[in-house]
Amino acid sequence: MLHGCLSPLSRSLRRSCSLSTRAFSITQQACQHQENSYQLGNEDDSTSRKEMSRRDYRFIFPEFLPDPNPEWRNAVRERLERKDMLERREKIEIPEFYVGSYLAVTAFDKNSPHPNKMSRFVGICIDRGGTGLRAWFILRNSIEGQGVEFMYHMYNPTVLKIEVLRLEQRLDEELYYLRDAPLEYSSVPFDMEPEILPEGSTVPVNTKVVPLNPRPWTQNWERFQDLLSGYSLHNPFPTPGKIRKQMRWMAEGNDGWQLQTLKFDLMRDYRNTVPAEEQAQIWEEVADKLEARDKQMRRVATKRAFI
Amino acid sequence: ALSGSSPAVSGLHPTVSGLNPATSGLNPAASGLLPALTSSFHTSTQLDSRIKRSARHKAFWHIKKLNKVPDEPITGENQAFIRDYIDHKYNGPLKEEFTPWARGSWEIGSRRPGVLAIKIGVVPLWLKNGKRIMTTMLQIQDNHVVKFTNRADYERTHMGERDNTPIYTGPMRKKAENVVGFITVGALSTDPQKYTKDYCGLFTEAALMPKRYLARFPVTENALIQPGTPLTAAHFTPGQFVDVYGRTQERGFQGVMKRWGFAGMPASHGVTKSHRRPGGIGSGCDKSRVWPGQKMPGWVGGLYKWHKGLRIWRINYEENVIYVSGVAVQGAVGSVLQVCDTKLRAKRWESLKKEGLTDGPKHFPTAFEESIKELPEEEYFEKVHQFTAPSITTV
């Protein structure tokens, strides 16, 4: 939708099928597909902890992995882009967050009424994407009864601060159905205080299921039920015969036709992921700086907490 | 403009006009064989879409590059010997130095050679006022000056004759008076075993390995560079404007809507089987036929085009990468392009008062070894936000 080329349907298909085992925080979907989808190397006991944690970087820093399309790949460009990204990360903290987390972004806005020309927006992250310097995310909130969405580029130098108010995951990788849900499900209070998770804990998964509003909808949500599990169509409203049939079929626990083909499509998985060897090279290149920066930010955070 | 060279084989060459009267060697208008121009005799200009300026074949004077007589099967030992010989020939001790050429200084109207660059990708940059711009990264890989051809020799070749022949309708290709010749630039050294002896012979004078790509640029006397000199990203200055010449992306056989921008017909309201078709192609009683050049479906893309007036925002001297404006640089990632100083009047050196570049490029005619050593890793145009700088809080 937003990229102009892929619908949310195909994008979520791509992502859900490339999710592999993760030490912590596995979504319901990934659980479902774990045994079926291609795994990037089986974990032996002999695998070092360091390597395992670096394998998880593909979830924490997904924009460092390049777009897998081989027509656009170039080693020199990717290297220079990563260098720029690391330089920007030295200037501001770009924290770990997932779709479903609550974020607050302070950005420079030359049209802002405030004398310091800053504007702060708080919202729930409904989607994130882009690779390299193009990485973006969308925050959604309700302001005076009106749903509002903001898209921010993560490496935009006018973005002054990105705070994670609540770090959590949802059942889906995209939450565009919140546009067709009651506004209370998209509301995040502007004065919310950051909720700090204890050190070393896993990222919690919020299994909330959002009931949708009556039709009309922005998308045909009855068709996405096999891929997105974070919403429900249990509102009583008249549905045409075919759709009711489909809903009943889904309710009985049958996989939709898309999943039935996709879970066997290994080549599709392969085309849509960066090979594990290349990923390892990339993390080797950037992990030291990222870890050093992370340590630095923790020191600053603990100092602040102490004060 | 930049034309394919005569003896040198060019992987990049401009389009050959199908309508140039010079192909006959005569000037028909002058000899009185053709009637005078009348309104009913619709001759075309360069911009007239009726005449398609597309040619995808190599010119007839190009020497064979890859059509090599296959060698006999060679033993492993002999293969190793050949590799050693090549290594010794091209990387061995330098011959005795000959007098280096004089280096001129820039003045208004100077023309210096460009470079051959590879498109490596598209990346966003931000300006200091917060604006986001998309830039294309072009990498200048292994460029060397191969040859200088003086103007007299050029004008005896097919292209030279063509340039000097007057055209009724359109600008002449004749070069300005101050152009003294053409410098051939080559990119990407490759194994000589791939190429014919004729092709490898083009590079012996400059003592270079044969290059995969060649291009030729007209030059003035003050911009002569000695063959064998490497060209790098330091050839350019951040903030200057460049023209980029290259082959556009192939789009295959396309219909009139994509090829010529026809409007098509409505999707509904009774339209029968004609939603993307051209519709009428004739004009009526007077000329009751289809005119030559009628716009129709056909092959789109794969043409050599100029993209002019692109600004260089940032140069990485380590990796030899320049960042130019926009996403529309011709070709896919990995394609080869000719990049040279712009000819647009408003963006030439003498017009760049705000950028402070009215004295010409920083390194003229190019950056030589001693200048390259002192360069930083990267240089930005003053308007570009550097990622090492703090966040933008004021315009």
Side-chain angles (χ1 to χ4, degrees), chain A residues 79 84 88 91 108 134 157, chain B residues 122 314 319 388 391-392:
Chain A
R79 203 170 352 113
D84 285 341
R88 179 64 191 155
K91 294 294 161 194
F108 166 69
R134 302 182 204 218
Chain B
V122 171
R314 177 177 167 183
E319 302 280 356
T388 44
S391 306
I392 295 170

Side-chain angles (χ1 to χ4, degrees), chain A residues 10 43 52 79 122 146 176 208 234 240 273 277 291 297:
Chain A
S10 36
E43 246 92 68
M52 281 205 34
R79 203 170 352 113
V122 171
Q146 170 69 51
Y176 290 105
K208 193 192 289 189
H234 297 313
T273 49
E277 297 83 9
E291 281 159 14
M297 293 314 302

Side-chain angles (χ1 to χ4, degrees), chain B residues 75-379:
Chain B
T75 60
E77 252 182 33
N78 286 345
Q79 279 178 12
F81 173 78
I82 290 171
R83 277 199 297 275
D84 278 341
Y85 176 77
I86 290 167
D87 189 46
H88 174 79
K89 184 178 178 188
Y90 292 106
N91 302 330
L94 293 170
K95 290 185 196 167
E96 54 192 56
E97 306 284 1
F98 35 84
T99 11
W101 290 15
R103 296 170 187 180
S105 57
W106 182 84
E107 56 193 34
I108 294 176
S110 304
R111 295 194 70 180
R112 58 176 190 154
V115 297
L116 281 162
I118 312 273
K119 177 175 171 180
I120 61 172
V122 171
V123 104
L125 286 180
W126 280 269
L127 303 182
K128 286 181 177 162
N129 61 8
K131 189 178 172 198
R132 179 170 178 261
I133 56 168
M134 291 305 277
T135 58
T136 308
M137 292 168 72
L138 305 175
Q139 189 179 29
I140 297 152
Q141 295 182 14
D142 197 16
N143 277 22
H144 285 91
V145 171
V146 171
K147 189 175 178 175
F148 170 68
T149 324
N150 64 40
R151 189 154 180 170
D153 289 340
Y154 171 75
E155 288 184 349
R156 267 182 256 123
T157 67
H158 173 90
M159 294 300 272
E161 278 177 15
R162 189 199 73 162
D163 283 4
N164 285 320
T165 315
I167 306 174
Y168 314 115
T169 51
M172 279 257 288
R173 286 195 191 82
K174 190 176 177 126
K175 301 288 174 266
E177 287 305 319
N178 60 356
V179 167
V180 297
F182 294 81
I183 280 183
T184 308
V185 173
L188 288 174
S189 308
T190 20
D191 186 4
Q193 294 182 78
K194 273 174 32 179
Y195 300 124
T196 56
K197 198 173 174 194
D198 304 321
Y199 185 74
C200 293
L202 299 170
F203 303 90
T204 49
E205 205 186 303
L208 290 170
M209 284 193 87
K211 300 283 187 181
R212 224 195 294 175
Y213 306 108
L214 288 173
R216 186 166 64 186
F217 304 91
V219 288
T220 48
E221 194 167 356
N222 58 347
L224 293 176
I225 306 177
Q226 194 162 17
T229 315
L231 300 175
T232 58
H235 183 81
F236 298 105
T237 315
Q240 75 162 100
F241 290 90
V242 290
D243 292 345
V244 176
Y245 180 75
R247 197 170 183 191
T248 52
Q249 287 208 41
E250 298 272 7
R251 302 193 196 279
F253 195 100
Q254 292 294 341
V256 288
M257 282 179 79
K258 193 184 274 292
R259 194 177 189 213
W260 299 113
F262 281 20
M265 275 163 261
S268 66
H269 289 300
V271 172
T272 348
K273 303 201 291 185
S274 298
H275 307 289
R276 298 184 67 88
R277 294 178 72 182
I281 58 172
S283 39
C285 315
D286 257 0
K287 303 268 177 278
S288 52
R289 59 187 174 93
V290 177
W291 283 20
Q294 172 61 41
K295 293 180 185 176
M296 286 192 173
W299 194 267
V300 173
L303 300 177
Y304 289 94
K305 295 280 179 189
W306 279 102
H307 202 112
K308 296 191 178 181
L310 303 177
R311 198 196 275 278
I312 295 181
W313 295 96
R314 177 177 167 183
I315 305 181
N316 187 315
Y317 298 115
E318 279 247 357
E319 302 280 356
N320 277 319
V321 172
I322 58 174
Y323 293 65
V324 299
S325 307
V327 302
V329 168
Q330 308 88 302
V333 167
S335 62
V336 182
L337 304 145
Q338 296 179 19
V339 186
C340 59
D341 297 341
T342 191
K343 278 185 79 182
L344 297 177
R345 201 181 294 270
K347 297 185 174 173
R348 280 185 233 162
W349 296 106
E350 55 269 25
S351 313
L352 300 181
K353 293 188 194 72
K354 281 190 200 163
E355 292 87 344
L357 295 170
T358 44
D359 293 327
K362 211 184 279 185
H363 308 280
F364 185 84
T366 192
F368 297 99
E369 215 182 301
E370 55 274 8
S371 320
I372 293 173
K373 272 188 225 162
E374 292 158 18
L375 287 169
E377 194 191 322
E378 258 185 313
E379 211 176 317

Side-chain angles (χ1 to χ4, degrees), chain A residues 71-74 76-81 83-85 87-88 91-92 108 110 116-118 133-134 153-160, chain B residues 120-126 129-130 132 134 137 139 314 316 319 321 323 333 377-378 380 385 387-395:
Chain A
E71 284 179 10
W72 302 334
R73 295 212 48 197
N74 181 280
V76 174
R77 174 187 60 77
E78 286 161 21
R79 203 170 352 113
L80 291 175
E81 240 186 318
K83 185 163 152 288
D84 285 341
M85 287 156 73
E87 280 170 4
R88 179 64 191 155
K91 294 294 161 194
I92 75 160
F108 166 69
K110 65 179 185 190
N116 60 6
K117 298 291 177 194
M118 291 187 197
L133 289 168
R134 302 182 204 218
H153 284 97
M154 276 158 62
Y155 294 91
N156 188 337
T158 57
V159 164
L160 306 170
Chain B
I120 61 172
V122 171
V123 104
L125 286 180
W126 280 269
N129 61 8
R132 179 170 178 261
M134 291 305 277
M137 292 168 72
Q139 189 179 29
R314 177 177 167 183
N316 187 315
E319 302 280 356
V321 172
Y323 293 65
V333 167
E377 194 191 322
E378 258 185 313
Y380 295 75
H385 168 85
F387 290 105
T388 44
S391 306
I392 295 170
T393 46
T394 49
V395 170

